[in-house]
Amino acid sequence: MIKARGLARKFTARGRTVEAVKGVDLDVAEGELVGFLGPNGAGKTTTLRMLTTLLRPTAGEATVGGCDLLKDPLGVRRRIGYVAQGGGTADECKVIEEIELQGQLYRLSKTAARKRGAELTQQLDLTGLDQRLTKTLSGGQKRRLDIALSLIHDPKLLFFDEPTTGLDPQSRANLWEHIRRLRTEHGVTLFLTTHYLDEADSLCDRILVIDNGEIVAEGSPDSLKARVSGDGVTVGVEAEFVARAAEIAGQLPGAHEVTTVDSSVSFRVPRGDTAMPELLRALDGAGIAMTAMEVRRPTLDDVFLNLTGRSLRDAEAGAPQQPEAANVA
Ligand SMILES: Nc1ncnc2c1ncn2[C@@H]1O[C@H](COP(=O)(O)OP(=O)(O)OP(=O)(O)O)[C@@H](O)[C@H]1O
């Protein structure tokens, strides 16, 4: 569905050049739900705007929905839907007017737009809201309307920029369900950007981690977590046996970062669930009783920390500000 090679974009503002995206390669297969995760300013939106023809790359090439991005941008636009970060509805428009207008943009007749609009409003739990002004919708309803509008021409590939930014936890969970259903019930391939770790973790089959305009890791949430940091294990033993228990833990395959505090030993192993029985047996053999145990799966923040030396949250705080003016294509 998406194949990009060396996609890059520079911006020049006030004599300063920002390399927003530095030669990104990416592949998304039909039916995948792929997340583009990175802190503010990492280059997510710029990549998305290039892939959706809104911004011309300064280098690289891509095919999107089977069409060449540079040679056939119209073909790309016909095959994709795009939900922008802030949405695109006008406050004073009624829901039905937005749907009809969107249909017209894709050359649907008024009747066809209404028919498709009715299907989409039902699918996205917006039934009965046709006559409401969009400014009266809740954040979640507005976001679902943005999705409905992006699907009016029945695209099989949907780009979604920061789907749940600004939504309360309940609306976020509800929107995640709708996004999942787009894939499972309607066969839509989804490519979304997010800086929320839990969103990428819970929603996506595969995650591309981007930092400073470069992809620094890629994989399923579980494989990323397993590959980069391993599980954290803490076991409690009687204080007099701590040193010996630490020695035993350190001999487990792949064990690293072994530390002790009072009567507990902490370490990391590739798979905590399989290491625990082995550790239990070894401690038992040495006559040491385990008094407590805890296995913690690593988070995507551990992954980011391992890759970049910064936590994703710190990276957010230190994100560069966007210059005031730029030569947008
Ligand atoms: N029009 C522009 N002019 C100048 N610089 C820009 C422009 N658009 C983006 N940038 C810069 O390019 C870099 C990447 O920005 P981009 O918006 O792609 O990041 P992002 O990962 O989507 O961030 P966010 O999560 O905040 O949306 C940032 O340093 C940003 O300031």
Side-chain angles (χ1 to χ4, degrees):
M1 274 290 194
I2 308 175
K3 180 178 175 144
R5 292 292 173 268
L7 215 55
R9 174 71 204 201
K10 287 181 191 169
F11 293 105
T12 306
R14 298 180 172 184
R16 208 183 108 222
T17 298
V18 179
E19 279 190 86
V21 179
K22 305 172 186 166
V24 158
D25 294 344
L26 53 91
D27 296 273
V28 176
E30 194 173 335
E32 274 196 300
L33 202 172
V34 175
F36 210 28
L37 175 74
N40 288 127
K44 303 182 296 293
T45 300
T46 304
T47 307
L48 216 64
R49 297 188 71 217
M50 288 193 281
L51 291 172
T52 52
T53 76
L54 296 172
L55 197 62
R56 205 176 160 80
T58 34
E61 53 188 23
T63 49
V64 178
C67 298
D68 189 290
L69 186 65
L70 300 175
K71 293 187 195 130
D72 186 13
L74 208 61
V76 172
R77 275 179 225 163
R78 286 203 184 105
R79 282 166 182 79
I80 64 167
Y82 174 53
V83 188
Q85 225 173 88
T89 52
D91 280 356
E92 299 298 334
C93 257
K94 288 181 182 166
V95 168
I96 187 68
E97 291 168 346
E98 286 285 4
I99 289 171
E100 285 172 4
L101 180 67
Q102 188 75 2
Q104 276 167 21
L105 290 176
Y106 283 94
R107 299 177 188 273
L108 299 185
S109 68
K110 213 171 192 173
T111 323
R114 283 194 173 214
K115 186 162 172 282
R116 176 77 181 135
E119 278 168 23
L120 288 167
T121 44
Q122 194 204 12
Q123 189 179 314
L124 289 151
D125 277 348
L126 294 166
T127 312
L129 299 176
D130 285 14
Q131 299 304 321
R132 289 266 294 272
L133 293 179
T134 64
K135 70 176 177 192
T136 68
L137 301 179
S138 71
Q141 288 169 334
K142 205 175 259 181
R143 218 59 190 125
R144 298 205 300 281
L145 176 59
D146 290 333
I147 300 178
L149 296 175
S150 74
L151 293 173
I152 199 96
H153 55 303
D154 202 15
K156 291 296 171 215
L157 173 60
L158 187 64
F159 290 90
F160 216 142
D161 201 1
E162 305 277 355
T164 62
T165 297
L167 296 185
D168 59 78
Q170 206 180 340
S171 307
R172 291 181 72 208
N174 174 278
L175 202 70
W176 289 356
E177 253 336 288
H178 282 289
I179 292 174
R180 285 192 187 102
R181 264 191 249 148
L182 286 178
R183 196 256 296 262
T184 52
E185 292 175 17
H186 303 278
V188 179
T189 302
L190 285 124
F191 187 77
L192 58 89
T193 72
T194 184
H195 58 258
Y196 291 127
L197 296 157
D198 58 340
E199 185 157 281
D201 206 347
S202 140
L203 204 52
C204 302
D205 305 325
R206 201 152 59 81
I207 299 172
L208 307 172
V209 185
I210 183 166
D211 186 38
N212 284 324
E214 290 175 292
I215 292 182
V216 292
E218 170 182 354
S220 69
D222 279 347
S223 75
L224 279 177
K225 288 183 281 187
R227 192 177 75 198
V228 183
S229 36
D231 294 343
V233 177
T234 300
V235 292
V237 293
E238 283 178 43
E240 61 184 301
F241 298 123
V242 155
R244 178 71 186 122
E247 205 178 306
I248 292 171
Q251 284 160 6
L252 292 172
H256 57 287
E257 297 175 38
V258 184
T259 55
T260 59
V261 178
D262 301 329
S263 57
S264 69
V265 180
S266 297
F267 57 98
R268 283 196 176 275
V269 272
R271 290 278 308 268
D273 52 352
T274 54
M276 280 316 285
E278 211 173 318
L279 178 63
L280 256 174
R281 271 195 304 274
L283 289 177
D284 210 34
I288 301 173
M290 195 187 281
T291 55
M293 62 173 240
E294 188 195 356
V295 178
R296 295 172 311 279
R297 301 301 321 276
T299 65
L300 286 174
D301 206 22
D302 291 328
V303 174
F304 193 79
L305 183 69
N306 256 279
L307 290 164
T308 66
R310 291 170 298 145
S311 130
L312 193 68
R313 290 171 222 291
D314 296 345
E316 295 267 86
Q321 295 301 306
Q322 187 162 307
E324 280 168 34
N327 63 339
V328 178

